[in-house]
Amino acid sequence: MAILEDAEIERRLEGLTGWRREAGGSACIVRDWTFDDFASALGFVGRVGGAAEAAGHHPDILLHGWNKVRLTLSTHSEGGLTEADFALAATIGELA
């Protein structure tokens, strides 16, 4: 799977609510969520896990501060961002 060029990454980010690149144009996209409580945050993580398994593509997941979730997407095997990252980001956006 081909790594996306910077211009393509920026174009795709415009269509994804809340996703961003970290400072310095890193090879990943990140999004944070805040939930009402721990159970809601954990439920979201479970739904993300199911979607990730179905896609065969897995984000880094951080559940912290009892109600906050941070997801980081990158195609580690390719060393950057690919179509798979943006496809999963779109799917995750529908789960929140």
Side-chain angles (χ1 to χ4, degrees), residues 29-94:
I29 55 174
V30 178
R31 184 170 174 188
D32 296 295
W33 287 264
T34 301
F35 295 90
D36 291 335
D37 52 38
F38 180 76
S40 297
L42 192 57
F44 174 66
V45 167
R47 292 189 304 276
V48 168
E53 278 296 299
H57 191 63
H58 305 92
D60 292 337
I61 300 172
L62 174 63
L63 173 59
H64 61 104
W66 70 271
N67 69 336
K68 295 176 179 61
V69 175
R70 173 176 282 195
L71 299 179
T72 304
L73 285 168
S74 181
T75 304
H76 301 292
S77 62
E78 298 296 328
L81 290 162
T82 67
E83 174 61 36
D85 299 302
F86 288 92
L88 186 55
T91 298
I92 290 168
E94 297 171 5

